[in-house]
Amino acid sequence: MATALVSTELPLELVARGKVRDVYDAGLTEGEFAGALLFVATDRISAFDVILENGIPDKGRMLHGLSEFWFELLTPSVIESHVLATRWDDFPESLRTRLADVRDQVDGRAMLVRRANVVPLEAIVRGYITGSGWAEYRRSGTVHGVTLPAGLVESQEIPDGPLFTPSTKAEQGAHDENISPEKAAELVGADLAQKIGESARALYAKAAEHARSRGIIIADTKFEFGQVDGKLILVDEVLTPDSSRFWSAADYAPGRGQASFDKQYVRDWMKEHGLDTAAKNGTKVTLPDDIVQRTAEKYREAFRVITGREFA
Ligand SMILES: Nc1ncnc2c1ncn2[C@@H]1O[C@H](COP(=O)(O)OP(=O)(O)O)[C@@H](O)[C@H]1O
Ligand SMILES: [Mg+2]
């Protein structure tokens, strides 16, 4: 198995290291690429708000490939995106020259994107009731403050269609907070919140239709939006196992939790070893090899099923 790339070191100005992505200023000043960011998916993995010590080999390349696939399917037909170029060969020659020595950290895992003012909302869309939505519903009959009909069971498809259920974007290590659409409107303005809600639901609808044709249910997902010259665009990654819950349609049954394509092995293993609260006490977490390998296989499977081709 390939070794995991947990951190990149590129000869460019580092703008941010997120949980998974290293973001650089690409240093380009001319034409359509002026001011672009180089958005690099590493093999880091996080669970329970901790970034784990080891990565999942090739996870970043699979996330990159999946996002690329969805951007092609969904944008610009639903909304424009931040994407300028996803393939090494399409990067400007000056950048390729500058990165020639570190090409292995970039090729197949980095895209050039327009730098946007990211709207401080996680634009979550839920088609099915699960996770924190299910927990809230059991307590109060609501999901993000929105009242739903009584008598829903765990993992049930939400009657009357997918809900826009935003959350705040917390600082690293902190928990995002679920909020109502009204609260989102207070935070970012009614017009912007409305546009984001509409776009997020339209993106979800089109993606869910594609996924369904491949035997996958997208239970819920999270988009991010940004503004460039006053225009709203889709940013960040799109519809990967890190930002979405994918379920197998063949195995789906309401009334219980569903096995998913994402970090289930990682979460189960951490819980078993009392590490699900590691973030609180700063404990470092290293996964054993078999969990790493099984998780890598899950990402590979998600890539294969959704794109219809083998991950190379
Ligand atoms: N076009 C863009 N311009 C500026 N920032 C962006 C853009 N697209 C995504 N981002 C930000 O880049 C970061 C991506 O790194 P990631 O590892 O996913 O971070 P996080 O830990 O917040 O999930 C996120 O903070 C995201 O909001
Ligand atoms: Mg992210």
Side-chain angles (χ1 to χ4, degrees):
M1 190 157 56
T3 51
L5 180 69
V6 287
S7 184
T8 62
E9 294 296 334
L10 306 183
L12 298 172
E13 184 201 326
L14 183 70
V15 175
R17 281 195 213 275
K19 287 192 287 289
V20 172
R21 285 170 188 77
D22 291 346
V23 184
Y24 295 87
D25 186 324
L28 301 165
T29 52
E30 274 160 46
E32 52 165 340
F33 293 107
L37 297 174
L38 190 71
F39 197 65
V40 191
T42 71
D43 294 335
R44 292 194 289 271
I45 184 167
S46 70
F48 300 114
D49 296 324
V50 209
I51 299 170
L52 308 187
E53 293 299 294
N54 44 354
I56 306 296
D58 280 341
K59 170 177 179 270
R61 297 205 301 130
M62 287 181 261
L63 295 188
H64 173 84
L66 268 175
S67 285
E68 186 180 31
F69 172 84
W70 289 117
F71 276 123
E72 269 168 33
L73 187 79
L74 304 171
T75 65
S77 58
V78 179
I79 188 172
E80 265 185 59
S81 85
H82 67 162
V83 174
L84 295 169
T86 59
R87 292 155 33 113
W88 172 268
D89 290 342
D90 297 332
F91 292 176
E93 198 183 342
S94 62
L95 184 65
R96 279 183 280 145
T97 305
R98 201 157 165 197
L99 297 178
D101 291 343
V102 288
R103 179 170 172 174
D104 56 329
Q105 297 179 48
V106 175
D107 195 351
R109 58 169 79 240
M111 46 182 87
L112 281 169
V113 304
R114 281 187 280 174
R115 186 194 290 254
N117 288 320
V118 178
V119 180
L121 283 182
E122 308 259 314
I124 301 166
V125 181
R126 299 174 188 265
Y128 293 74
I129 187 164
T130 182
S132 66
W134 171 241
E136 181 185 325
Y137 178 77
R138 270 196 312 190
R139 280 197 308 272
S140 59
T142 59
V143 172
H144 294 237
V146 177
T147 303
L148 292 186
L152 301 185
V153 297
E154 184 174 10
S155 308
Q156 187 169 336
E157 189 167 8
I158 293 173
D160 303 329
L163 290 178
F164 172 55
T165 52
S167 75
T168 58
K169 242 173 94 66
E171 293 300 312
Q172 195 161 315
H175 246 323
D176 299 329
E177 189 194 337
N178 287 350
I179 56 175
S180 64
E182 290 74 28
K183 178 78 189 174
E186 271 171 41
L187 286 176
V188 304
D191 282 0
L192 189 57
Q194 158 129 16
K195 257 193 220 152
I196 288 175
E198 275 168 17
S199 301
R201 286 171 53 183
L203 290 164
Y204 173 88
K206 188 159 179 189
E209 188 187 322
H210 169 80
R212 203 66 181 77
S213 76
R214 309 207 128 265
I216 298 285
I217 290 171
I218 302 174
D220 52 33
T221 193
K222 181 234 23 168
F223 301 104
E224 291 188 31
F225 293 86
Q227 289 174 300
V228 174
D229 304 329
K231 192 171 13 164
L232 189 68
I233 60 169
L234 180 63
V235 304
D236 206 53
E237 64 174 335
V238 181
L239 289 151
T240 74
D242 280 8
S243 65
S244 323
R245 281 193 183 85
F246 296 136
W247 295 340
S248 155
D251 300 337
Y252 169 72
R256 57 163 168 80
Q258 317 293 311
S260 75
F261 278 100
D262 68 354
K263 306 165 187 170
Q264 210 55 53
Y265 295 128
V266 175
R267 292 210 185 95
D268 291 349
W269 180 84
M270 284 176 72
K271 268 194 184 156
E272 228 172 81
H273 293 80
L275 293 166
D276 48 331
T277 52
K280 279 195 206 113
N281 31 50
T283 310
K284 295 200 160 151
V285 180
T286 304
L287 297 171
D289 282 351
D290 63 315
I291 302 292
V292 169
Q293 262 164 53
R294 280 150 75 187
T295 303
E297 181 44 44
K298 275 295 174 194
Y299 279 90
R300 197 174 291 275
E301 190 182 341
F303 181 92
R304 179 172 58 234
V305 175
I306 287 169
T307 66
R309 60 193 161 85
E310 207 58 46
F311 177 77

